[in-house]
């Protein structure tokens, strides 16, 4: 039977949003300012409305039921639209804006984002804070709930996303292209010399694998040629690869944005095997597309990142 909106206590919508976001009765109660027993009663009423437990115990944690998973995005959207009603007359003023803007990305991209923030956002909005968090699969759930404002990641089409992560529910925009470059430390015995494919394969290599994979795009490209390389160092962190590169005779093949961080101490050259491009994309929940604060911040960041890429591309072309 259809449930009439007029017969439902709309306070339950906010309760549902935070229950699905926090997956904890106590944490959801703290978000709203209710007591734990009051939030428990709200959960009971929601279970009656949806004829579903919504949250179930799984060890020490609470997990969403399949019904709750389906409700989460729609609930977050509905709550955000309600917020829009009450802030419809608000104007965004960067000079007085406060609060945090949370971005999920890998570590070297975080360096680029922090530089862009310092150059473009902070001078105009000095009271706003930037929070950079690790890019994980959980970030997609936090985008839905509003706990993360933006993710910056490689092209989702090349990612090995697990079941249940629907990237199509988010707005995506290409921010900048990424070129792969190879790099040696400046005093490496082969620095400045012509790098053949044979010599490249014979070197020891550094592989950055945030998800712990034993092979990367280079290995797959080499395999097509019947070749393989020796991975001497494997790390989850892009930034950790730079000091390893400086203290060894290894070569690294990585996005140009990472190598730009240590450009003065590196010699770079194009990969001797075709790798193509892997673009950087920004992603956000549709709820934020027309939000004045979000639109202003992402516009400033995207402009700064594009200028930084153009500067790097120009420097590489003139080298």
């Amino acid at each position: 039977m259809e449930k009439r909106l007029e017969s439902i206590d709309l306070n339950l919508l906010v309760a549902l949003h935070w229950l699905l976001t926090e997956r904890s009765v106590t944490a959801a109660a703290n978000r709203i300012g209710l007591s734990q027993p009051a939030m428990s009663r709200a959960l009971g009423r929601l279970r009656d409305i949806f004829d579903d437990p919504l949250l179930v115990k799984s060890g020490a944690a609470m997990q969403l039921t399949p019904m709750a998973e389906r409700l989460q995005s729609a609930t977050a959207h509905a709550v955000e639209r309600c917020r829009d009603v009450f802030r419809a007359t608000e104007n965004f003023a960067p000079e007085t804006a406060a609060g945090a803007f949370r971005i999920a990305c890998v570590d070297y991209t975080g360096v680029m984002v922090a530089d862009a923030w310092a150059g473009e956002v902070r001078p105009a909005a000095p009271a706003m804070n930037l929070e950079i968090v690790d890019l994980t699969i959980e970030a997609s759930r936090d985008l839905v709930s509003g706990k993360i404002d933006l993710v910056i990641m490689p092209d989702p089409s090349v990612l090995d996303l697990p079941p249940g992560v629907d990237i199509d529910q988010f707005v995506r925009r290409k921010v900048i292209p990424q070129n792969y470059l190879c790099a040696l430390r400046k005093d490496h015995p082969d620095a400045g010399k012509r790098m053949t494919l044979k010599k490249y394969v014979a070197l020891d290599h550094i592989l950055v694998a945030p998800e712990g994979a034993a092979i990367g795009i280079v290995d797959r490209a080499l395999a097509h040629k019947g070749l393989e390389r020796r991975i001497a160092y494997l790390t989850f962190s892009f930034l950790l690869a730079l000091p390893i590169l400086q203290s060894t005779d290894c070569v690294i093949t990585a996005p140009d944005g990472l190598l730009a961080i240590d450009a003065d101490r590196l010699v770079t050259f194009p990969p001797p095997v075709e790798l193509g491009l892997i673009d950087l994309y920004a992603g956000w929940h549709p709820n934020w597309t027309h939000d004045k604060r979000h639109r202003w911040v992402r516009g400033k960041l995207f402009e700064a990142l594009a200028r930084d890429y153009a500067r790097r591309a120009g420097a590489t072309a003139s080298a």
Side-chain angles (χ1 to χ4, degrees), residues 105-234:
C105 56
V106 298
D107 54 8
Y108 88 89
T109 308
V111 175
M112 297 162 59
V113 168
D115 285 346
W117 184 278
E120 288 294 328
V121 178
R122 187 169 177 79
M128 286 187 66
N129 303 324
L130 172 64
E131 296 183 8
I132 298 175
V133 300
D134 194 22
L135 179 62
T136 64
I137 296 304
E138 286 298 303
S140 63
R141 191 181 78 192
D142 289 340
L143 268 179
V144 172
S145 71
K147 292 171 70 175
I148 288 178
D149 295 286
L150 198 67
V151 298
I152 298 181
M153 59 188 174
D155 183 350
S157 67
V158 304
L159 299 179
D160 185 19
L161 297 172
V165 177
D166 180 13
I167 200 70
D168 290 332
Q169 70 179 299
F170 306 122
V171 179
R172 301 194 304 278
R173 172 180 165 180
K174 185 167 76 172
V175 180
I176 54 172
Q178 287 191 116
N179 299 303
Y180 281 105
L181 287 175
C182 300
L184 302 168
R185 57 183 171 83
K186 271 196 170 176
D187 58 350
H188 189 286
D190 291 314
K193 298 179 181 178
R194 179 173 175 268
M195 183 62 66
T196 64
L197 180 57
K198 181 178 179 181
K199 183 185 291 187
Y200 172 79
V201 171
L203 289 170
D204 286 342
H205 290 248
I206 301 169
L207 172 63
V208 183
E211 301 300 325
I215 64 171
I217 187 172
V218 173
D219 303 283
R220 290 188 285 273
L222 291 174
H224 283 302
K225 295 180 176 292
L227 299 172
E228 60 180 89
R229 60 178 178 163
R230 178 176 181 268
I231 306 297
Y233 294 87
L234 187 151

Side-chain angles (χ1 to χ4, degrees), residues 16-23 31 72 141 145 147:
L16 177 62
H17 170 63
W18 287 114
L19 284 165
L20 301 186
T21 298
E22 296 291 352
R23 305 186 184 201
R31 286 281 195 172
Q72 188 172 32
R141 191 181 78 192
S145 71
K147 292 171 70 175

Side-chain angles (χ1 to χ4, degrees), residues 4 13 16 26-27 39-40 74 79-80 129 131 150 159 174 188 194 222 242-243 258 260-261 265 269 285 293 303 312:
R4 294 181 68 251
L13 177 65
L16 177 62
T26 301
M39 183 57 78
S40 292
V79 169
E80 190 59 28
N129 303 324
E131 296 183 8
L150 198 67
L159 299 179
K174 185 167 76 172
H188 189 286
R194 179 173 175 268
L222 291 174
L242 294 177
L258 169 66
I261 294 171
R265 301 200 297 162
F269 54 93
H285 197 276
R293 168 181 170 273
E303 289 172 10
R312 291 200 314 272

Side-chain angles (χ1 to χ4, degrees), residues 22-69:
E22 296 291 352
R23 305 186 184 201
S24 161
V25 171
T26 301
N30 290 337
R31 286 281 195 172
I32 299 177
L34 289 179
S35 66
Q36 194 271 347
M39 183 57 78
S40 292
R41 289 193 294 273
L43 176 57
R45 293 170 66 190
L46 288 163
R47 284 169 167 167
D48 289 339
I49 291 171
F50 291 103
D51 192 24
D52 186 90
L54 300 175
L55 287 169
V56 294
K57 275 281 190 182
S58 178
M62 299 283 279
Q63 297 294 326
L64 302 188
T65 65
M67 165 72 80
E69 293 278 4

Side-chain angles (χ1 to χ4, degrees), residues 264-300:
D264 292 342
R265 301 200 297 162
L266 300 176
V267 172
T268 61
F269 54 93
V273 61
E274 182 63 37
L275 299 178
L277 295 176
I278 179 169
D279 297 326
L280 273 183
Y281 279 73
W284 63 90
H285 197 276
N287 290 354
W288 298 117
T289 296
H290 301 294
D291 180 84
K292 294 176 182 178
R293 168 181 170 273
H294 197 280
R295 185 168 56 189
W296 181 85
V297 171
R298 68 177 188 261
K300 290 289 187 181

